[in-house]
Amino acid sequence: MRISNDDVLALELPYRERLRLMRTVFEGGSGPTVAVVAGVHGDEIEGLYVCHRLAAWLERLAREQPQALRGRVELYPALNPLGLDTLQRAVPVYEIDLNRNFPGHPDGLLVQRIADAVMRSLAGAALVVDIHASNVFLREIPQVRIAAEFADGLMPLGRGMNVDVIWIHGALTVLEATIAHSLNSRGVPCLVVEMGVGMRVTPALAEQTIAGILGVWRDLGVLDSSVTLPTRTRTPLLADDSNVYYLNAGTSGLFVPAIEHWTTVAKGQLLGAIVSPHRGEVLSEVRAPAGGVLFTLREYPLVYEGSLMARLVATEPP
Amino acid sequence: MSVGNLLHMTAPLRDAFDIPFHAIGAASEPLRLALVGGLHGNELNGIFVLGRLADFLAEVAAGARLPLRLHGRVVIIPAVNVLGVNTGSRVWPFDGTDINRMFPGYDVGETTQRIAHAVLQATRPSYFRIDVHSSNPEFEEVPQVRLYDPTHAERETARHFRPPAIVEAPTSGGAPAAWRASVSGPATRARPSPSTASDFSPRWWASSRAPASSPAARSPMRTTRRTISAHGRRSRWSRRRRASS
């Protein structure tokens, strides 16, 4: 096994500094190539830690069982390096969302050049896993999100990912300028994983996700079947527009949850309250609209009217 | 002229807030023109221009500018991103979302979804719809009209602006696309901001720039953007219902 680092893109910044978009490549046999991309948004850190843990696992494999890597693994922990280094979700200077600018353009702006370079680099991969960490407002249980138009090809891969939820978006749900849509449109299978929360690392969720990624790599023949892997323990709930409920704030204020994330709740159960910072009163109670499991829970307490507080996948009829 | 409120919302800590708009002309008249400015809070030209225009049209409507008379009704929203204006922010300051990426919006969703919904409801019935932008702090734009997949009628309408340049592009996000998706009638974007990445590309800027010496008022330069890449289009679902990345 050969381990190397290279730049997918390098650009001179206006004064002294150079922007490098780096990847780590683990080359084994002639088997399939797979990739993990993360850090598309500069405020989402969970995927960086997943890349670190995967790198550590592969480095140990290189020492102990180098022949077991039958294919090739590419890790891209930071597609938006400047945003990560400056704690900005979007690509700095232009404040443009990288994940709304795929497939990009080789002669365009920084954001378009990153997108273009990444698309070229990932061409031909057997699977790309795009790891997101929600945003600073919401915490997500590990889940795979799949656009319905690509569901036939992606569902078998998604089921192997050891996530708690697979969420299939309807036809209107496609974000056409995302990396996932652009890759899937070009025949490169790409799974979007959402896990954790912005600006944080959640090791337990990372280990769960890693077990899934390694398992799918073995399923694809990237890893030899003789390799010992962490056990995949999850059977995902299937979510779609018919069984996902959104809990939006009825009033502005301070949202204080009364339950834990990834909790099974009964219809009508108290989930939390919106309270006034000025007075002792409870402004609004938040109750479950159906029986099910909370797979999204608000982490950032301030809410405006309409702010999303939680999402629930129903497990029983309303 | 009357000043209405597009929507009224509470905030977690500061005062409640709203988005004022001017309604000019008799209520019985058909809505002929809707003008929107300040979808981005740091684009001040449109806010200034639309405020002055509202005053001027109010005088016309009141008969103070004879022989000019107002036919039909006009709605003017000088600044949509009110909090952004007050804090010098292009985007909605609380969550960093771009209001011009939230169309068609959602009336019970996140704040910027509600704002987009309210803007669309107020402007959709109008025959002419104009979204006024400025560039970002890096560029100064010559006045220009941008058209997206224009019809013949839209091309003709754009010439009435007598701008130095009329720029045509195949696709658009934001308010123009939302208008396009609703009812017929020209949807025009005057002096737009670089709302998408490709709007910033040097080629785009150069090709749409009129020479300094051009007799601007007589012969608008018409260009077509060729270096367009996928951008700007996003799903209704994502904006209506999805708050995370």
Side-chain angles (χ1 to χ4, degrees), chain B residues 183-241:
Chain B
V183 290
S184 62
T188 299
R189 191 165 182 216
R191 244 193 131 201
S193 74
S195 61
T196 64
S198 49
D199 282 359
F200 284 105
S201 81
R203 208 183 306 175
W204 153 248
W205 182 76
S207 67
S208 60
R209 183 185 179 200
S213 60
S214 89
R218 286 195 300 280
S219 61
M221 194 170 112
R222 181 176 294 167
T223 68
T224 303
R225 180 158 67 174
R226 292 193 178 83
T227 59
I228 190 157
S229 59
H231 71 276
R233 289 183 291 168
R234 42 194 58 77
S235 76
R236 184 165 304 177
W237 178 87
S238 70
R239 289 308 169 200
R240 287 173 66 95
R241 307 180 71 181

Side-chain angles (χ1 to χ4, degrees), chain A residues 135 172 194 246 304-305 308, chain B residues 10 14 110 235 241 243 245:
Chain A
N135 51 36
L172 285 172
E194 285 278 2
Y246 297 71
Y304 278 77
E305 299 169 55
L308 188 65
Chain B
T10 58
R14 68 181 194 288
E110 301 278 344
S235 76
R241 307 180 71 181
S245 64

Side-chain angles (χ1 to χ4, degrees), chain B residues 43-63:
Chain B
E43 299 178 8
L44 304 180
N45 285 317
I47 301 168
F48 176 68
V49 165
L50 293 189
R52 290 188 63 193
L53 185 63
D55 282 347
F56 176 81
L57 290 179
E59 289 177 20
V60 172

Side-chain angles (χ1 to χ4, degrees), chain A residues 35 122 124-129 153-154 157 180 183-191:
Chain A
L122 294 173
L127 174 65
V128 176
V129 176
L154 295 181
L157 293 162
L183 286 169
N184 283 312
S185 296
R186 294 185 181 184
V188 179
C190 179
L191 290 174

Side-chain angles (χ1 to χ4, degrees), chain A residues 39-59:
Chain A
V40 172
H41 295 127
D43 59 352
E44 299 180 19
I45 314 297
E46 306 267 12
L48 281 63
Y49 182 68
V50 170
C51 284
H52 158 74
R53 294 286 298 137
L54 287 170
W57 191 91
L58 288 161
E59 286 163 13

Side-chain angles (χ1 to χ4, degrees), chain A residues 19 36 49 59 77 86-87 105 115 137 190 259 282:
Chain A
L19 175 68
V36 174
Y49 182 68
E59 286 163 13
T86 57
L87 218 173
H105 193 289
F137 299 102
C190 179
I259 35 77
V282 171

Side-chain angles (χ1 to χ4, degrees), chain B residues 68-91:
Chain B
L68 290 176
R69 290 172 53 215
L70 186 64
H71 298 281
R73 197 155 46 87
V74 178
V75 161
I76 297 179
I77 310 169
V80 173
N81 186 357
V82 174
L83 183 60
V85 174
N86 287 330
T87 58
S89 167
R90 169 186 169 88
V91 295

